[in-house]
Amino acid sequence: MSDQITAAPSVAAETISSRASWIAELRATFTLAWPLVIAQLAQNALHTTDVILLGWLGSSYLAAGTLAVTFLMPFLVGGVGLVGAVAPLVAQARGSRDIKAVRRIVRQGCWAAIALAMVLVPIVLQIRPIFGLLGQDPAATLMAETFIQIAAWSLFPALGIIAFRSLLSAFDATRAILIITVLGVLLNAAIAYVLIFGHFGIPRLELRGAAIATLVTNIAMFLMMVGYVLRHRRLKRFHVLARFWKPDWFRFREIFRIGTPIGLTVLAEVGLFTAAALLMGRLGTDEVAAHAIALQCASMAFMVPLGLGIAATVRVGTAYGRSDPEGVRKAGWTAFVLGTGFMALTCTLFLTMGPSIVTLFLDPHVPENANALALAATFLVVAGVFQLVDGAQVTAAHALRGLSDTKIPMVLAIFGYWAVGLPIAYILGFVVGWRGVGIWIGLAAGLAFVAVVLVTRFALRERLGLMRAR
């Protein structure tokens, strides 16, 4: 009897302790993630600013700028994915309290950024022959080339930013990332406005002005991040630039081993949406416009689970580094619940207010917009369901990255996007005749497949040997 009396308070105490630890994890994840979410939204605003300003010059400038940015983006996002491997590696080093490893990982992350940019910039500069092979309009190609000739060099600071941003994320300094990104948006808008239109006695540079603004802004953001790391009391002890020339080939290879699958996964996802846009182009102008509206809405909502996913990489990686399986479990599932919970809200918003949302993009009083608005509202219904699986797959993928598990998730993601999503989109869109709705259902199906397999993989992480000793 006495054993039962003493056991009951013990069980209650364990329950309270477990609940408190989940709440603490929730608080830690949210604190880490919210500046990253806003920073991701601000990062989008960098390109949006250029698009708006170039649109003021005229449709030909807007088209050329859009072509140039569309061409540059796959190289940038692939590089960002690769150098982003610094984040889980630094988080794991932090968890194991290995200060020397932190310095070496960040240093080799900078090396990787430089090496990758040296490979990518010469390719990006070949925009004219590449666009010629793709049958793009020669006049638009020449205008786009004037932008790329300058903007291509922004790959060096842009990829360097990722190495230092990974360090800041791993040590919970995400507010600094937010402040630097917002300052970058403001700086880019000011420089672009002055240079594009030629104010204050400066020559009117048009597309070249936008490109110079992009390059200068990325250099300024990189220098701000480096300065913050070198001066911050918690981070300067790592001496990340000490003996910068000294190689650490093991960690250099490790960044490419973990980061290459991440970069290829991101490229596969970007490629899927590019292919969907091309399929929409076969249906008509209204379908393309409606697709762009629905995709913009989905992309804005996606920034929240993406920020939570980056936080999950750090939280899972830190727990993994200190050999804490329970910490890994709580960090991964907390980010998953927060991400899918937010997407459930946007799903409800898209399902109930879709017709009102799309009028923010096209004037409903113009008769020519009626069909595009109706299509966009319909696409948003599918995008609502799409939100749930998109939030699940991105948080699961980032949680697995915290365990340095990237190769198998890459294979699963590419299969889901290209062997499941795209064929279903084509069959439903063109064979069955559901047109744009069928294409969006295909996108949702591909993401749903990836979400299921990646969430399952995280759930079975110990059985699959992902929690083996580092």
Side-chain angles (χ1 to χ4, degrees):
M1 182 69 176
S2 62
D3 290 343
Q4 292 177 349
I5 292 173
T6 56
S10 176
V11 171
E14 284 184 16
T15 303
I16 293 171
S17 176
S18 176
R19 187 181 302 135
S21 65
W22 278 103
I23 293 172
E25 182 61 43
L26 180 69
R27 186 182 298 112
T29 300
F30 181 79
T31 301
L32 182 65
W34 77 260
L36 292 172
V37 170
I38 301 175
Q40 290 295 329
L41 292 168
Q43 191 74 35
N44 276 359
L46 279 169
H47 302 293
T48 304
T49 302
D50 289 341
V51 168
I52 292 171
L53 293 176
L54 289 173
W56 292 355
L57 286 176
S59 59
S60 61
Y61 291 93
L62 177 59
T66 302
L67 276 175
V69 172
T70 301
F71 179 72
L72 180 62
M73 270 302 127
F75 298 98
L76 177 60
V77 298
V80 166
L82 193 154
V83 181
V86 171
L89 291 174
V90 170
Q92 291 166 17
R94 180 192 180 187
S96 60
R97 300 181 182 277
D98 190 345
I99 292 177
K100 187 182 293 185
V102 171
R103 176 173 63 250
R104 291 180 175 178
I105 292 164
V106 176
R107 185 170 64 208
Q108 295 310 301
C110 293
W111 277 43
I114 294 168
L116 195 58
M118 289 176 67
V119 172
L120 294 179
V121 168
I123 298 173
V124 174
L125 291 174
Q126 303 307 310
I127 181 173
R128 194 197 305 180
I130 292 172
F131 271 17
L133 292 173
L134 295 175
Q136 294 296 317
D137 178 70
T141 297
L142 281 174
M143 292 177 70
E145 187 180 32
T146 63
F147 181 93
I148 286 295
Q149 285 174 339
I150 298 169
W153 299 99
S154 67
L155 285 171
F156 281 97
L159 297 181
I161 286 169
I162 301 305
F164 282 91
R165 193 179 76 177
S166 298
L167 172 64
L168 294 175
S169 298
F171 282 86
D172 307 327
T174 51
R175 292 189 184 186
I177 297 172
L178 170 59
I179 293 169
I180 291 170
T181 306
V182 171
L183 289 175
V185 172
L186 298 175
L187 180 65
N188 181 72
I191 297 175
Y193 179 73
V194 171
L195 296 183
I196 289 173
F197 300 104
H199 293 295
F200 306 112
I202 294 175
R204 180 184 172 103
L205 297 177
E206 299 176 342
L207 281 163
R208 284 191 177 89
I212 292 171
T214 298
L215 176 59
V216 171
T217 299
N218 276 281
I219 292 172
M221 290 172 63
F222 174 73
L223 293 176
M224 283 189 280
M225 284 199 176
V226 173
Y228 184 86
V229 169
L230 294 181
R231 295 178 63 85
H232 191 273
R233 59 180 182 80
R234 287 182 60 214
L235 300 174
K236 65 182 181 181
R237 62 194 170 107
F238 295 118
H239 304 289
V240 292
L241 297 183
R243 295 190 296 277
F244 186 79
W245 60 88
K246 185 178 180 181
D248 186 331
W249 297 117
F250 170 76
R251 289 185 171 85
F252 185 78
R253 289 192 299 269
E254 191 76 351
I255 288 170
F256 276 85
R257 184 185 70 81
I258 296 172
T260 300
I262 297 175
L264 292 175
T265 301
V266 175
L267 280 176
E269 187 171 3
V270 170
L272 173 67
F273 285 95
T274 301
L278 294 175
L279 290 178
M280 286 290 183
R282 297 177 61 180
L283 295 175
T285 304
D286 286 343
E287 280 81 358
V288 173
H291 174 73
I293 292 170
L295 189 58
Q296 184 62 35
C297 293
S299 298
M300 292 294 286
F302 178 74
M303 294 301 107
V304 175
L306 177 59
L308 287 163
I310 297 170
T313 297
V314 171
R315 297 292 301 168
V316 169
T318 303
Y320 180 55
R322 65 172 181 263
S323 302
D324 179 6
E326 182 65 11
V328 168
R329 182 174 77 92
K330 287 177 176 167
W333 290 121
T334 297
F336 175 79
V337 169
L338 286 173
T340 53
F342 175 82
M343 290 306 233
L345 294 177
T346 58
C347 171
T348 304
L349 185 66
F350 287 178
L351 293 177
T352 57
M353 299 188 65
S356 300
I357 293 172
V358 297
T359 58
L360 298 173
F361 297 86
L362 288 174
D363 187 350
H365 299 104
V366 177
E368 290 80 4
N369 292 340
N371 187 42
L373 286 169
L375 287 170
T378 305
F379 294 169
L380 271 187
V381 173
V382 185
V385 179
F386 172 103
Q387 294 291 286
L388 297 175
V389 293
D390 207 13
Q393 67 95 17
V394 72
T395 50
H398 278 80
L400 290 169
R401 289 172 195 174
L403 302 175
S404 297
D405 181 37
T406 58
K407 285 186 180 178
I408 299 300
M410 174 195 69
V411 173
L412 295 172
I414 292 175
F415 181 84
Y417 298 148
W418 289 90
V420 177
L422 190 60
I424 291 176
Y426 181 82
I427 291 169
L428 294 182
F430 294 92
V431 179
V432 178
W434 289 0
R435 297 177 65 83
V437 172
I439 293 172
W440 267 86
I441 291 174
L443 293 176
L447 288 170
F449 174 87
V450 175
V452 170
V453 294
L454 294 188
V455 170
T456 302
R457 186 168 177 81
F458 182 76
L460 300 177
R461 61 197 175 280
E462 296 196 42
R463 197 175 302 177
L464 295 173
L466 304 182
M467 292 295 296
R468 61 191 180 280
R470 294 180 59 239

